[in-house]
Amino acid sequence: MPNTPRPDDPDTTFAAVFKEALRRRGLPLDRVRDHLESYGITLSLATLSYWQSGRSLPEKPQSLRAVDVLEPFLDLPSGTLRSLLRRRPRGWVPQHDPAAVRGVYGEDSDLEKILGDAFPYFNAGLRRLVVHETVRVNEHRLVAEIRVTVAVRAVRDDARHLTVVHTLESAKADTVDLTVPHGPPPHIRRRPELNCVIAEIPLGRRLARNETAVIEYTLRSTATTGVSHRYERRVTTPLQSYLLHVRFHPSAVPSKCWHYYCRQLGTEPRSRQLAPLDDFRATHLLPVKCAPGVHGVEWLWTD
């Protein structure tokens, strides 16, 4: 690929030029990250990898400054990479409207910090249709296990994996493992400072547009300290079905439980109602309509 792509060439992309420049210079991504840090620019290896693969593009001010720093470092003429940011690769279909996601997560949320420039394109190409999850609270009053089943539909060709982000209320990120029952193990990242676990879970095959897939995974925690008071799901696009099933250990039964819904993280619930436990020490939440917002179950310990 030439050092200076022709602006009128529709097949020239930022990712292709960036990747070729790295190859030509023999630079691993950690060297690129270290070079940027010498200029006071902090970017994760995941963000740089997303740029190289075409999963995201530099958009934030710090990322655009990084592009300017990288051009001479990669022996590219000034403006080469910048000029390629004015268009998206063919088939680029952002799944989420960033404004809609911020409407649920708020401005400058942990999700946006985790994903960086990939935030506007989070799970581009897939739309969640159904989410069913079972949460187990152990004898230590901690959420010890979360089993999730997700049905998705591809909104563009060549969808390959689902990215999941779980923010933990009480257990620490380094005590949590995420596994899948079938297929290769997912790529997992942990952000202890934000107490988050992020995983890229491969689909069973590449999906064409409008095809569907089912993804299963389980999070388990080995933590024995801390106390859980709730479990919630952040929904950014309407779901056809959402089922949350919470089961408590016989020696850790709360005195009261509530179902709640709020439009945005950190705001007062729009609805909150008592949710009695059944004979199996369990409760479930099954909204008639699962609108964007925060859907959850909260419980109270008496001592």
Side-chain angles (χ1 to χ4, degrees), residues 127-132 150-153 210 212 235 237-243 286-292 295:
R127 177 169 181 177
R128 285 176 172 87
L129 302 176
V130 175
V131 177
H132 290 179
V150 184
V152 297
R153 171 174 287 125
N210 290 327
T212 57
V235 177
T237 57
L239 295 175
Q240 292 180 5
S241 173
Y242 175 57
L243 171 62
L286 183 62
V288 176
K289 292 183 179 180
C290 192
H295 301 258

Side-chain angles (χ1 to χ4, degrees), residues 210-246:
N210 290 327
E211 289 188 322
T212 57
V214 175
I215 300 96
E216 300 174 274
Y217 64 93
T218 301
L219 291 102
R220 292 187 179 90
S221 172
T222 59
T224 57
T225 59
V227 177
S228 300
H229 298 278
R230 67 183 58 82
Y231 181 83
E232 61 188 22
R233 164 71 56 169
R234 293 87 186 264
V235 177
T236 57
T237 57
L239 295 175
Q240 292 180 5
S241 173
Y242 175 57
L243 171 62
L244 170 58
H245 189 207
V246 182

Side-chain angles (χ1 to χ4, degrees), residues 256-275:
K256 289 183 180 180
C257 284
W258 295 268
H259 297 165
Y260 66 89
Y261 166 77
C262 49
R263 186 64 185 85
Q264 186 181 84
L265 279 172
T267 62
E268 289 296 318
R270 290 191 175 187
S271 65
R272 188 171 185 265
Q273 58 187 16
L274 280 171

Side-chain angles (χ1 to χ4, degrees), residues 18 21-23 25-35 45 48 52 70 73-74:
F18 183 45
L22 291 172
R23 186 202 63 78
R25 291 268 284 131
L27 292 170
L29 290 180
D30 56 354
R31 282 276 309 280
V32 175
R33 178 197 58 191
D34 294 345
H35 179 74
L45 289 176
L48 293 171
Q52 181 181 230
L70 286 176
F73 184 59
L74 298 174

Side-chain angles (χ1 to χ4, degrees), residues 106-233:
E107 296 291 334
D108 196 29
S109 65
D110 286 350
L111 179 66
E112 196 160 357
K113 294 174 183 175
I114 291 164
L115 297 175
D117 289 306
F119 172 72
Y121 313 101
F122 179 40
N123 284 324
L126 289 175
R127 177 169 181 177
R128 285 176 172 87
L129 302 176
V130 175
V131 177
H132 290 179
E133 48 192 345
T134 300
V135 173
R136 180 173 61 84
V137 180
N138 68 11
E139 66 273 25
H140 304 292
R141 300 184 176 183
L142 278 165
V143 170
E145 182 181 82
I146 306 165
R147 290 189 285 114
V148 185
T149 300
V150 184
V152 297
R153 171 174 287 125
V155 298
R156 72 178 190 189
D157 291 336
D158 203 31
R160 305 184 187 189
H161 66 267
L162 175 73
T163 300
V164 299
V165 179
H166 281 266
T167 300
L168 310 170
E169 183 210 359
S170 47
K172 300 302 182 184
D174 56 4
T175 71
V176 173
D177 193 22
L178 187 150
T179 60
V180 295
H182 312 289
H187 173 65
I188 299 172
R189 292 187 290 127
R190 294 174 175 83
R191 293 288 299 272
E193 74 280 13
L194 299 174
N195 213 26
C196 288
V197 176
I198 309 101
E200 294 181 0
I201 303 176
L203 305 180
R205 61 184 177 86
R206 296 183 183 184
L207 298 184
R209 184 172 182 175
N210 290 327
E211 289 188 322
T212 57
V214 175
I215 300 96
E216 300 174 274
Y217 64 93
T218 301
L219 291 102
R220 292 187 179 90
S221 172
T222 59
T224 57
T225 59
V227 177
S228 300
H229 298 278
R230 67 183 58 82
Y231 181 83
E232 61 188 22
R233 164 71 56 169

Side-chain angles (χ1 to χ4, degrees), residues 32-49:
V32 175
R33 178 197 58 191
D34 294 345
H35 179 74
L36 291 173
E37 286 183 350
S38 71
Y39 283 79
I41 302 170
T42 301
L43 293 178
S44 68
L45 289 176
T47 294
L48 293 171
S49 177

